[in-house]
Amino acid sequence: MSYIILTNNPMVKELIESKTGYELHFIDGGVQQVISRCEEVFLKKNSHLAADPMGGRRARPFPYLTLILEEGSEASAADWERIADYSVLDMGRREKYENNDDRLNKDFQVLDRSYTETALKLY
């Protein structure tokens, strides 16, 4: 399996750079920029969501997002819908994290990295 990792989290970037076999796209921007890159990759590569970005729940009000795509088949209508849903939910919750201090953002980085490690079974 070949995975594409899209993230705006510097901790995930560091984690993935230390591993082999992953194509990393680090986005220096917000959650909406990660979602936009995901849509671009869906259109350009034969890839689909390998893990639910919401873990089966509604969008987290986190300033960091890591998406894991798997190459091999096109994104399904459900993948496109899940990404669109996440985008809408994030826009409605952005005010909850826009003014976070550095300490709180560091906590969100750790959480996002932990979710990514678990999804990729890197622990």
Side-chain angles (χ1 to χ4, degrees):
M1 285 179 254
S2 181
Y3 293 107
I4 302 166
I5 312 299
L6 311 173
T7 189
N8 65 337
N9 184 344
M11 286 182 139
V12 171
K13 177 184 181 219
E14 183 180 292
L15 171 72
I16 298 303
E17 284 177 339
S18 70
K19 307 293 180 193
T20 58
Y22 299 104
E23 179 181 331
L24 174 66
H25 294 247
F26 180 74
I27 296 91
D28 187 20
V31 169
Q32 292 301 314
Q33 286 78 23
V34 175
I35 291 169
S36 293
R37 179 69 60 85
C38 178
E39 292 168 340
E40 290 171 15
V41 173
F42 278 173
L43 291 170
K44 291 179 182 174
K45 293 191 173 215
N46 195 27
S47 60
H48 60 276
L49 288 174
D52 186 341
M54 293 184 250
R57 294 179 288 285
R58 296 178 65 77
R60 308 175 305 245
F62 284 16
Y64 299 99
L65 175 64
T66 299
L67 297 174
I68 303 168
L69 309 181
E70 184 177 353
E71 291 187 287
S73 63
E74 289 183 8
S76 67
D79 289 338
W80 282 98
E81 184 177 330
R82 200 66 169 146
I83 292 300
D85 287 349
Y86 197 104
S87 178
V88 169
L89 289 168
D90 175 69
M91 284 193 251
R93 295 176 173 200
R94 193 175 307 155
E95 75 281 351
K96 293 183 180 182
Y97 65 76
E98 281 184 327
N99 297 314
N100 289 350
D101 63 22
D102 289 342
R103 255 183 47 204
L104 185 55
N105 277 338
K106 192 63 124 182
D107 287 346
F108 282 122
Q109 287 178 9
V110 170
L111 285 169
D112 184 61
R113 178 189 165 126
S114 175
Y115 292 150
T116 303
E117 285 177 315
T118 300
L120 294 172
K121 296 179 175 67
L122 296 176
Y123 46 90

